[in-house]
């Protein structure tokens, strides 16, 4: 009986086991990339269930699938997800490709996302791979040339202060308003520096919103375009780790070619005689010979100041480690980055720590929670002096920097730049601690398909601290007897500044997305409340007797300065957006945003900003199925209005008063007082931008050729400016800002791309983009009697005005027969610059050069045309990528030390060897003079130079190593790379970088960077 019972139990158990096994079957296979290499960490999920696994280091996987038909979903960061239907046990291999598919790529838009094929606005994307190819400390410099519509200028290259100026589709405002775009990180508006100091390793993509349709959801903040940053998020599957490291050095891209002491002294004598033929030469023949021979550097120095201060190289290094993984319930991405950049002198350094943690929790089947925390610590040390580049650019070679025994020299009335950059001179230390948080809850409404609610709380906190200590550095002069004397010491000075800021943003969203047959609809409604608070305090004292205690209390209170400030801003907004498509072919979007900005009077605060767009996916039509050459074709158009409340002067609707310190006597005491400020304007409001966009996108021959084209037109009105151009100087009051300016900005963008896979091992890509943006001032409230040449109306915004140079007076006859500048009749002659006689007081040429001859000289320092050419070749694990970037239709006005010889007794550059003399009447430059306030140095086209350039912006050579040994240590591969940034620059402009924005050339030069590194994945 016992045996029978055991037999029955065994039989029943076998049946249950058989039934259980019959309910599941096993699927296995291998995941590889497009080059055939195995991929570790690929997520493999059974769609609609919690069953899942990930591939191992050989790319293999095995998964149990419930009985019946099922769909396996293969996904990996940066790759196109694939869904494969299975019905029985077997082997399923999959090849994952880069996420470049136009139809399926998901694009992040304002407060949401869309498929690329459904986007009707103008949006450009820069992905993380492109960002990582540029070894830059400031993220803004990684955008140059990579995407259409983004115009950048990098004015300087100083570590920690080398940000690029970003203009989206050019400049369409003037006065004191800004064209800085709005920066949005994971749905929260943040500052430019919050964006620029991000670690590129933590970024998934950067999307540029350029037209009204894509940016209007940001209302009064969106007129200048939007830079939308999406950080990386966790993927379900096994933990994957990534470590990257790079090390390199930077050096100046180009330095001016300054003349040495012998040439300097010879030309100085010539200039002195030109100014006064009876004068004696400044430099004797013996002294000139001493400069030429270099026999005694103490007596006859030949100092290359720029090479001494800026001629070396500076190391830089960067580390990043990130973790990614999770389950269907909890997913995480964490990143820790470190950047350290030294300057070209020891007293300059910048280092930064970045940390990020993005956590996604599926709290219930219908509730998702996201917790994003990011922070950064910045420390920057610079010399205390702010005039380093002025004196480095200006100092002539005839003064020593150091004597032969190592003492620092005092070069006459000039500061010694080596002393200014010396660590003995003190320090300027700035530190910043920044914490950014973003908490989101999304609740699906189960009984209404596609409906969800979303709540967002973002809280930011930052603290900044600055301490500047400036002390005397011993300098020496050499006496005639060969002894040295110490210069008079100066006393030290100290200043401290502390600032803090906090920002709070609340958002509430209602989202709906569903399809009804061929009809697809999605809608968004949201409300936003945002507040920012800032405060700071500054204190300083000088004339310290000792450097033993570098604190404020230790200094004398005689010249004490104590200041503090507080500020608070607020914004309340509501917006709706509706998207509709029919059969995924006919696309429509409409949005409306309502803003209230505290910058304006209560009855002027509310604004409404609508936008509309439409698209037609022609390639989905039945009649296109026979057109094999066209894989994808979409036309689109948009129209809408946006605003800008980012004006220089807030609260212009109030009467203002300025504090005047110690100006009113009461008995023996002086009291502070007030004076009237600018006249109040209660009607002041935001700028309004009306934008129109037309374009098309197409992919031909199975995606091998791509063409994207957009035409844009923007008319910005209500620009805040004053009527200073229409009232006399004797008006007697400070004018208020008024909404009176109008600017039109229009142009086009074009992208041509080609990709090709020759074989499983060979592939290449090539892409070019060009942006043309030209603006014109329509209205600027100018007086009717402004001479035509001086009118800014009808001209480019921020254009140059001055005299039109038409050559150099070749000889006395030419001088006598030409109009001359009335202000310098007694000091001009042959060899001076000749100007065009454009008009007199009655509008016709009058035979003399005066203010009526000032005219428009050019569009200014912002390029009208910017372009980029990028490409790459892949062979097995070897990659070569490059980026060429350039600009044209751009000028720079150069003055003083960047162009003129002997300005303030300063240096002379090499091109002045071709100056006018009686024996060289056709020279490129005028005669030499020690007076740089005369005829030759008026603002004129002679000193407006073509700043067009072509730059080899980036080159990357990389090799990915994958081997059995690496798989044993759980590594999917090691990528070795070498990169170069700003390697070559081709330009006609002399002495300065073509992106420089300082007319005098007083700036830390742009840097050429060489880097090597590796990336390891586990």
């Amino acid at each position: 009986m016992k045996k029978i019972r055991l037999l029955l139990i065994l039989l029943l158990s076998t049946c249950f086991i058989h039934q259980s096994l019959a309910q599941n079957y096993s699927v296995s296979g291998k995941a590889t990339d497009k080059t055939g290499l195995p991929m570790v960490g690929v997520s493999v999920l059974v769609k609609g269930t919690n069953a899942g696994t990930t591939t191992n280091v050989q790319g293999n996987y095995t998964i149990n699938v419930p009985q019946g038909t099922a769909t396996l979903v293969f996904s990996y960061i940066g790759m196109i997800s694939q869904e494969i239907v299975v019905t029985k046990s077997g082997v399923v291999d999959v090849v994952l490709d880069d996420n470049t598919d136009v139809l399926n790529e998901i694009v992040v838009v304002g407060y949401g996302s869309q498929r690329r094929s459904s986007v009707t606005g103008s949006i450009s994307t820069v992905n993380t791979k492109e960002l990582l190819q540029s070894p830059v400390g400031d993220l803004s410099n990684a955008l140059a040339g990579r995407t259409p519509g983004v115009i950048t200028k990098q004015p300087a290259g100083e570590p920690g202060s080398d940000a690029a100026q970003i203009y989206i589709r050019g400049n369409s405002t003037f006065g004191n308003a800004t064209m800085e775009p709005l920066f949005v990180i994971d749905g929260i508006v943040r500052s430019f520096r919050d964006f620029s100091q991000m670690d590129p390793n933590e970024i998934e993509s950067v999307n540029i919103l350029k037209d009204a349709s894509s940016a209007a959801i940001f209302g009064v903040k969106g007129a200048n375009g939007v830079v939308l940053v999406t950080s990386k998020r966790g993927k379900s599957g096994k933990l994957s780790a990534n470590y990257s490291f790079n090390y390199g050095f930077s050096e100046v891209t180009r330095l001016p070619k300054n003349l040495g002491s012998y040439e300097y002294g010879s030309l100085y004598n010539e200039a002195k005689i030109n100014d006064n033929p009876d004068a004696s030469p400044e430099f004797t023949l013996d002294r000139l010979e001493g400069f030429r021979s270099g026999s005694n550097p103490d007596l006859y120095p030949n100092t290359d100041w720029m090479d001494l201060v800026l001629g070396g190289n500076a190391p830089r290094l960067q580390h990043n480690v990130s973790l990614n993984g999770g389950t269907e319930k909890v997913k995480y991405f964490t990143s820790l980055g470190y950047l350290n950049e030294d300057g070209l002198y020891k007293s300059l350094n910048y280092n930064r720590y970045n940390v990020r943690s993005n956590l996604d929790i599926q709290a219930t089947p219908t509730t998702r929670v996201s917790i994003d925390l990011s922070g950064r610590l910045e420390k920057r040390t610079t010399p205390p002096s702010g005039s380093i580049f002025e004196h480095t650019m200006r100092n002539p070679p005839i003064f020593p920097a150091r004597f032969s025994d190592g003492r620092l020299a005092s070069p006459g009335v000039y500061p010694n730049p080596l002393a200014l950059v010396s660590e003995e001179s003190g320090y300027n230390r700035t530190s910043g601690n920044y914490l950014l948080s973003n908490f989101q809850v999304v609740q699906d409404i189960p009984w209404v398909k596609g409906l969800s609610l979303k709540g967002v709380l973002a809280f930011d906190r930052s603290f900044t601290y600055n301490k500047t200590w400036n002390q005397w550095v011993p300098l020496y002069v050499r006496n005639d007897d060969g002894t040295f004397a110490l210069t008079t010491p100066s006393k030290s000075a100290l200043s401290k500044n502390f600032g803090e800021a906090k920002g709070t943003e609340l958002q509430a969203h209602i989202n709906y997305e569903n399809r009804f047959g061929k009809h697809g609809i999605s809608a968004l409604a949201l409300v936003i409340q945002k507040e920012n608070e800032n405060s700071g305090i500054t204190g300083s004292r000088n004339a310290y007797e000792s450097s033993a205690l570098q604190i404020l209390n230790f200094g004398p209170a005689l010249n004490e300065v104590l200041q503090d400030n507080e500020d608070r801003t607020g914004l309340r907004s509501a917006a709706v957006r509706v998207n509709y498509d029919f059969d995924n072919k006919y696309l429509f979007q409409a949005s409306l945003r309502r803003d209230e900005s505290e910058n304006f009077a209560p009855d002027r605060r509310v604004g409404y900003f609508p936008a509309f767009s439409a698209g037609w996916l022609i390639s989905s039509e039945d009649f296109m199925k026979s057109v094999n050459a066209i894989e994808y074709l979409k036309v689109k158009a948009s129209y809408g209005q946006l605003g800008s409340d980012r004006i220089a002067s807030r609260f212009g609707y109030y009467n203002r008063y300025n504090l005047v310190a110690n100006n009113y006597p009461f008995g023996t005491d002086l009291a502070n007082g007030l004076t009237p400020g600018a006249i109040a304007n209660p009607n002041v409001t935001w700028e309004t931008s009306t934008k129109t966009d037309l374009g098309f996108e197409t992919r031909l021959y199975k995606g091998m050729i791509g063409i994207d084209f957009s035409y844009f037109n923007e008319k910005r009105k209500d620009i805040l400016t004053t009527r200073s151009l229409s009232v006399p100087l004797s008006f007697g009051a400070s004018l208020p800002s008024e909404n009176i300016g109008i600017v039109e900005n229009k142009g086009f963008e074009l992208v041509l791309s080609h990709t090709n896979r020759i074989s499983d091992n060979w592939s290449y890509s090539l892409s070019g983009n060009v942006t043309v943006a030209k603006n014109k001032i329509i209205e600027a409230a100018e007086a009717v009697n402004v001479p035509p040449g001086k009118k800014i109306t009808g001209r480019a915004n921020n254009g140059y005005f001055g005299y039109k140079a038409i050559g150099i007076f070749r000889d006395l006859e030419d001088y006598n027969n030409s109009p001359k500048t009335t202000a310098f009749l007694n000091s001009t002659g042959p060899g001076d610059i000749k100007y065009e006689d454009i008009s007199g007081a009655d509008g016709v040429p009058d035979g003399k050069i005066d203010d009526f001859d000032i005219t428009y000289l050019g569009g200014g320092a912002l390029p009208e045309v910017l372009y980029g050419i990028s490409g790459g070749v892949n062979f097995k694990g070897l990659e070569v990528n490059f980026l060429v970037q350039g600009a044209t239709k751009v000028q720079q006005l150069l003055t003083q030390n960047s162009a003129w010889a002997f300005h303030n007794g300063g240096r002379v550059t090499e091109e002045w060897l071709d100056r006018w003399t009686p024996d060289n009447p056709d020279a490129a430059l005028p005669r030499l003079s020690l007076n740089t306030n005369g005829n030759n140095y008026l603002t004129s086209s002679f000193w407006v130079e073509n700043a067009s350039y072509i730059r080899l912006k980036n080159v990357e050579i990389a090799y990915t190593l994958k081997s059995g040994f690496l798989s044993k240590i759980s590594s999917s591969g090691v990528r070795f790379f070498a990169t170069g940034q700003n390697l070559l620059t081709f330009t006609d402009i002399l002495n300065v970088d073509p992106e420089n924005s300082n007319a005098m050339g007083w700036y830390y030069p742009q840097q050429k960077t060489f880097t090597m590194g590796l990336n390891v994945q586990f």
Side-chain angles (χ1 to χ4, degrees), residues 466-646:
N466 172 264
K467 181 180 181 182
T468 302
W469 173 258
N470 198 329
Q471 66 185 18
W472 175 71
V473 176
L475 297 177
Y476 295 85
V477 295
R478 189 179 188 277
N479 299 320
D480 293 338
D481 60 1
T483 60
F484 295 94
L486 193 64
T487 57
T488 304
S490 60
K491 294 184 179 180
S492 302
L494 174 67
S495 68
K496 288 186 177 183
N497 177 278
F498 176 80
E500 60 176 329
K502 64 179 179 180
T504 305
E505 181 167 338
L506 297 171
Q507 299 179 10
H509 300 230
I510 302 176
N511 288 279
Y512 179 75
E513 184 174 3
N514 206 350
R515 294 201 69 84
F516 305 91
K518 293 186 176 182
H519 303 275
I521 188 170
S522 64
L524 164 71
L526 64 90
V527 292
I528 299 173
Q529 173 81 26
K530 186 175 180 66
E531 292 186 6
N532 290 314
E533 294 182 44
N534 300 274
S535 64
I537 186 167
T538 299
S540 65
R541 286 183 175 182
N542 56 32
Y544 280 68
E545 298 290 347
S546 169
S547 61
L549 290 176
Q550 298 168 14
I551 58 176
L552 288 175
N553 288 346
F554 196 68
L558 179 63
N559 296 314
E560 180 182 77
V561 174
L562 181 63
Q563 297 175 330
D564 74 338
N565 66 84
E566 292 186 3
D567 190 21
R568 187 177 182 183
T569 64
L571 181 71
R572 183 181 295 121
S573 308
V576 293
R577 180 175 63 207
V578 177
N579 289 77
Y580 169 79
D581 75 80
F582 177 75
D583 201 18
N584 287 316
K585 295 185 293 188
Y586 311 108
L587 314 168
F588 177 79
Q589 176 178 294
S591 65
L592 176 67
R593 172 144 169 167
R594 178 188 185 274
D595 279 314
E596 290 182 74
S597 173
E598 47 80 39
N599 276 0
F600 312 112
D603 60 344
R604 293 281 178 173
R605 287 178 177 168
V606 178
Y608 295 88
F609 304 96
F612 309 91
S613 63
W616 179 21
L617 198 59
I618 301 176
S619 53
S620 296
E621 297 287 359
D622 291 339
F623 62 79
M624 292 295 293
K625 293 180 179 179
S626 60
V627 185
N628 296 326
I630 301 178
E631 179 188 38
Y632 174 74
L633 175 62
K634 179 175 68 176
V635 295
K636 57 185 180 178
S638 67
Y639 174 86
Q641 287 188 337
L642 302 98
S644 177
D645 68 343
R646 286 178 286 174

Side-chain angles (χ1 to χ4, degrees), residues 38 40 56-59 961-974 1017-1018:
V40 62
N56 61 20
V57 292
Q58 288 83 29
L961 176 65
K962 296 188 177 184
S963 67
F965 170 75
L966 292 174
S967 64
K968 291 179 181 179
I969 60 173
S970 301
S971 173
S972 61
V974 179
Q1017 294 182 343
F1018 296 95

